[in-house]
Amino acid sequence: VRWVHTSPAPTQPADPVKDTLVSQAVGQAGRCGAPHILTVRRELFPQLEGGTEAGRRRALATARHFAHHRSFYRAMLTGSCAFATTRALNGVLGSLQRPVMRMLFGELDQAAVEDLTAFFSGGMAAVINDWLIDGEDPLDPEEFTDRLLRLMSVVTAGQHLQADGGHV
């Protein structure tokens, strides 16, 4: 693992947990992943502070971030760094989704939380990637946010169901 020191913005206190997550993701992605992981850390994370609500504010902040940096992410997702970029982004999105999984699905064992996090984060990343790469110019973050929220609503509509009549 290659450790990267990220200096927080003057108004933002250092967060050792997020710095560790970013460092691990950069280590996994190597040089290909470092620039966008640091961009996500510096520009997107501060907009997502304030709880685990999976609402419109967080989805719109995410869509706006990716739309604003579209040319950068499009190049990273279609070039020789695509695998490393996708893996690193899944890790970052997973760090944001993990608390949401517990909120949505209640008490789960750690393996179930990790599987659900990978499922939701990977699926969300695939939809974001398609939008960034193939979406019509200019990208519309508002419309895309509505799309993400519709998907989340459909996927979580049956979250109260239990596998085989017992707990998941």
Side-chain angles (χ1 to χ4, degrees):
V1 171
R2 184 171 57 121
W3 292 98
V4 175
H5 174 72
T6 58
S7 299
T11 59
Q12 178 185 358
D15 184 333
V17 173
K18 285 182 186 167
D19 286 343
T20 300
L21 289 169
V22 170
S23 296
Q24 289 171 348
V26 169
Q28 291 172 356
R31 285 191 304 191
C32 287
H36 73 273
I37 295 299
L38 295 176
T39 299
V40 169
R41 164 66 169 96
R42 184 178 55 251
E43 296 182 16
L44 181 58
F45 274 11
Q47 297 176 49
L48 303 179
E49 298 295 328
T52 58
E53 71 277 359
R56 183 171 181 75
R57 181 184 62 80
R58 290 181 70 163
L60 184 57
T62 301
R64 284 179 175 158
H65 169 82
F66 285 110
H68 181 72
H69 297 287
R70 180 187 196 180
S71 61
F72 173 75
Y73 285 109
R74 182 188 263 175
M76 295 297 288
L77 292 166
T78 58
S80 62
C81 292
F83 178 78
T85 299
T86 299
R87 184 171 220 157
L89 283 174
N90 286 351
V92 170
L93 291 172
S95 71
L96 299 171
Q97 294 297 319
R98 201 166 283 109
V100 175
M101 295 304 103
R102 290 201 184 277
M103 182 184 76
L104 284 173
F105 300 104
E107 289 300 316
L108 299 171
D109 62 67
Q110 191 60 32
V113 170
E114 293 304 316
D115 288 344
L116 283 167
T117 299
F119 178 79
F120 277 92
S121 300
M124 182 176 16
V127 173
I128 291 170
N129 293 355
D130 286 346
W131 179 62
L132 289 171
I133 294 167
D134 297 325
E136 290 187 30
D137 286 320
L139 293 177
D140 184 346
E142 297 276 343
E143 183 275 328
F144 187 69
T145 297
D146 292 340
R147 185 175 155 198
L148 284 178
L149 293 176
R150 273 192 313 273
L151 287 172
M152 195 64 161
S153 175
V154 169
V155 171
T156 61
Q159 58 88 6
H160 63 277
L161 300 177
Q162 298 178 343
D164 299 323
H167 294 320
V168 176

